[in-house]
Amino acid sequence: MDNKTSHILLKGGTLLIHDEHDRVIPRKLDLLIQDDRIVRIDHDIQPPTETKTIDCVGSLVSPGFIDTHRHLWQSQQKGLHCDQILLDYYHSGNLASSHYEPDDVFCGVLSSCMEAIDAGTTTVVDHAHVNYSSQHNKEAIRGQIASGIRSIFCYCVHPRVSTWQPELKLDHELHFDAEMDDFRRLAKEQPFGPNGRTRLGFAMDTMFVPPKVLKDAFNIAREHGVHMITSHVTRVSMMDNMPSALAVLNDNGLLGPDVLLSHGNNITREELGWIATSNAHLSSTPLSELQMGHGYPICLEADFLPFSSIGTDSNSICTSFIPAQARTALQTTRARQMAENIRNGTWDGTIGPRAEDAFNLATVLGARAIGLGDEIGSLAVGKKADIVIFQGQTPTMIPASECDPIAAIILHSSVRDVQTVIVDGVIRKENGTLCQISIPADIKENDEISASERESLGWKGVAKLLRDSRSKLEEVRSTICDEDAARNGLIRSFLGAMAHASSAE
């Protein structure tokens, strides 16, 4: 059965509705969707002709979650990084994109997007360091379109591996002109997919990049109408001699409301002032940051919360379930506050951030961070129909779902409780199961064609593609990669790249 219908009525659920102060007001109401929009929220809505009605009695109806920092292509690498810090992940995870053929990119991105939808995520920002060819980029976008998720594909100019043997070496030249030519071609075709569901963004880090190249890249991206620009802001011990990425962006006049900065765990109050003045935003990825040596997540600290959002980083490192990321940020922030009180011999009688703050990171604050606050992030008439329905009667959820729905989602829920997911008015998960997807032949296709009219896949088919790709990539990796040589080569390449960048300024 096709999962697209012109009207969908969500009947009898508890809707999590934000007021004008971002407070969540649970209300037992019906919600009517027409095409891709919420058109009515009221008591006892009578279904129009040919309406699909979903019984939501006992369920929680939430805005879809927004993942503001993700490297979507990395699905094949799950299980490789569980005991790694950033230094090891950089060569075994980040730079492993050099092993991927375009079909591997498609498979990794598609799988990652479907995993996100399964977990209630309806929008994702893809920091996509896969631009080894124009076909790599197109296959990444095609995977996003096929999945049905709402996305921002942030075309990334990044360091590439020149050799893996006998030791890993980075190419110190960015091939900037060729990469930006490819970007310009994509910019002419944006947005992508039905209703422009996939937008074009841009990604570039300050590390090893001369200021002139950085400014040229940001200017070209903005001139060609990118939706947003994202950049890592990561100060860790392995890069303690690098200048502050935020200082580089600020000193070169590159910050602005279209900029989203990832991580930022150790930024200073002065740097936070630059973010506030420029109306830029932050994305925290708590689980990866705690593992990889970034430091504690900052998104729920009081001064940082208004500018913050939340993401996964990589599904190869940790879960894609955004409530799990939010609860990790919530409890670590509370623990830090309590520990500071103990050290100082003080106590203010509060717990710190609220569960509602954590929920807002994943919804209204996430939407604002990526410039889509008027379209998504809350349940309101006129907004896009990006919705997740939680089954409230499972052993994990009841009676929390009836007592405090936000507590139920942030502190008790699991992916199992995500019953139905709707993106852009299309049901993508129903009765706990991912729906069949249809595969566009090209990124220029922009209509919602039913699965019966073109190549289609269910999750089992996608899982087979993923296993086959993983096996192929593991064989490549095993023949050319030595962990110690890669780590040592990476350190030497970083030192050489720093010297090269300094001489180019």
Side-chain angles (χ1 to χ4, degrees):
M1 185 174 69
D2 196 352
N3 54 340
K4 172 67 177 174
T5 184
S6 61
H7 286 89
I8 303 172
L9 177 61
L10 309 185
K11 193 76 176 168
T14 299
L15 274 58
L16 305 182
I17 297 176
H18 287 86
D19 68 13
E20 64 272 19
H21 304 295
D22 292 343
R23 300 306 305 267
V24 181
I25 313 298
R27 300 187 65 190
K28 290 190 176 181
L29 295 168
D30 298 344
L31 183 150
L32 181 65
I33 297 164
Q34 182 176 354
D35 298 324
D36 61 330
R37 300 278 175 175
I38 299 170
V39 294
R40 190 179 173 195
I41 296 174
D42 208 341
H43 294 282
D44 195 26
I45 298 174
Q46 296 305 304
T49 305
E50 298 183 355
T51 295
K52 179 180 180 64
T53 299
I54 300 177
D55 182 2
C56 296
V57 174
S59 298
L60 305 180
V61 181
S62 167
F65 300 129
I66 300 163
D67 186 333
T68 57
H69 181 66
R70 181 85 163 261
H71 305 293
L72 282 172
W73 57 272
Q74 295 186 345
S75 299
Q76 292 92 327
Q77 295 169 217
K78 276 188 177 183
L80 296 180
H81 311 308
C82 66
D83 295 319
Q84 290 185 342
I85 60 171
L86 184 62
L87 178 62
D88 302 306
Y89 162 79
Y90 201 89
H91 65 79
S92 68
N94 186 299
L95 295 176
S97 58
S98 68
H99 307 323
Y100 278 54
E101 298 296 331
D103 62 326
D104 299 311
V105 172
F106 173 78
C107 172
V109 169
L110 175 59
S111 168
S112 188
C113 289
M114 293 182 72
E115 178 184 349
I117 291 170
D118 189 50
T121 294
T122 54
T123 299
V124 63
V125 175
D126 182 18
H127 188 133
H129 34 43
V130 294
N131 64 333
Y132 285 86
S133 72
S134 60
Q135 198 58 35
H136 282 73
N137 292 312
K138 288 182 178 180
E139 288 301 282
I141 294 170
R142 194 166 73 99
Q144 292 175 29
I145 297 170
S147 74
I149 206 163
R150 188 179 307 286
S151 59
I152 302 173
F153 173 78
C154 293
Y155 178 100
C156 180
V157 177
H158 66 105
R160 298 184 180 186
V161 176
S162 59
T163 63
W164 283 95
Q165 292 180 318
E167 186 177 79
L168 185 153
K169 291 183 180 179
L170 294 178
D171 188 345
H172 294 161
E173 300 297 332
L174 278 175
H175 308 283
F176 179 75
D177 291 339
E179 293 185 14
M180 295 312 292
D181 283 345
D182 194 26
F183 166 79
R184 290 182 181 96
R185 286 191 288 271
L186 280 178
K188 292 178 181 177
E189 300 179 25
Q190 66 166 321
F192 310 99
N195 295 327
R197 199 175 56 228
T198 294
R199 292 168 163 89
L200 181 65
F202 186 76
M204 193 171 187
D205 294 330
T206 64
M207 189 169 60
F208 314 140
V209 180
K212 183 182 184 307
V213 174
L214 196 65
K215 286 190 282 190
D216 287 348
F218 274 54
N219 289 337
I220 292 170
R222 285 167 169 153
E223 288 168 2
H224 284 77
V226 293
H227 181 75
M228 57 169 283
I229 300 173
T230 191
S231 186
H232 288 100
V233 178
T234 308
R235 185 181 291 130
V236 295
S237 296
M238 64 176 275
M239 300 173 188
D240 57 3
N241 292 321
M242 295 296 296
S244 159
L246 251 171
V248 172
L249 293 169
N250 181 70
D251 292 348
N252 288 281
L254 299 177
L255 293 175
D258 59 349
V259 172
L260 178 67
L261 305 166
S262 306
H263 310 309
N265 306 73
N266 297 297
I267 66 176
T268 66
R269 297 292 162 174
E270 180 183 24
E271 291 171 330
L272 177 60
W274 299 337
I275 292 172
T277 300
S278 64
N279 293 313
H281 286 85
L282 290 161
S283 176
S284 288
T285 61
L287 286 168
S288 70
E289 291 166 4
L290 289 166
Q291 175 181 327
M292 294 287 173
H294 295 59
Y296 289 103
I298 60 174
C299 52
L300 284 172
E301 293 184 15
D303 291 344
F304 291 82
L305 179 60
F307 312 102
S308 292
S309 60
I310 203 160
T312 297
D313 205 358
S314 173
N315 64 332
S316 69
I317 299 171
C318 58
T319 179
S320 296
F321 189 46
I322 288 296
Q325 298 284 349
R327 77 173 61 117
T328 300
L330 180 66
Q331 304 298 42
T332 54
T333 306
R334 288 170 168 177
R336 288 183 73 195
Q337 177 176 305
M338 295 295 183
E340 185 175 351
N341 287 339
I342 291 171
R343 284 194 304 271
N344 297 335
T346 60
W347 182 60
D348 63 7
T350 69
I351 196 170
R354 301 168 301 167
E356 184 181 72
D357 297 325
F359 180 77
N360 284 346
L361 284 173
T363 54
V364 289
L365 293 176
R368 290 172 196 151
I370 62 173
L372 291 176
D374 292 336
E375 292 191 39
I376 59 175
S378 62
L379 302 179
V381 172
K383 285 198 170 184
K384 288 282 192 176
D386 289 7
I387 296 169
V388 55
I389 303 172
F390 282 85
Q391 168 57 261
Q393 306 302 303
T394 63
T396 55
M397 295 289 276
I398 194 168
S401 62
E402 299 165 355
C403 174
D404 185 338
I406 297 301
I409 290 172
I410 294 298
L411 294 173
H412 296 278
S413 73
S414 68
V415 174
R416 178 184 72 164
D417 304 308
V418 176
Q419 186 77 358
T420 300
V421 179
I422 300 169
V423 186
D424 215 41
V426 180
I427 298 171
R428 296 296 179 180
K429 181 179 182 180
E430 187 171 21
N431 297 322
T433 301
L434 285 168
C435 298
Q436 196 92 349
I437 60 168
S438 55
I439 310 295
D442 188 84
I443 65 173
K444 293 181 180 179
E445 291 187 14
N446 58 12
D447 54 345
E448 195 72 68
I449 301 174
S450 70
S452 62
E453 296 178 53
R454 63 183 178 192
E455 181 187 358
S456 65
L457 279 176
W459 171 248
K460 286 185 178 179
V462 176
K464 182 181 186 306
L465 290 178
L466 185 66
R467 286 194 297 269
D468 291 346
S469 175
R470 165 67 183 267
S471 296
K472 181 183 72 173
L473 290 166
E474 181 60 29
E475 185 175 348
V476 171
R477 182 173 173 270
S478 66
T479 59
I480 67 172
C481 296
D482 175 88
E483 293 297 320
D484 290 336
R487 174 190 270 247
N488 294 334
L490 181 65
I491 293 171
R492 277 189 274 272
S493 282
F494 276 174
L495 293 174
M498 281 190 279
H500 181 79
S502 297
S503 65
E505 290 182 10

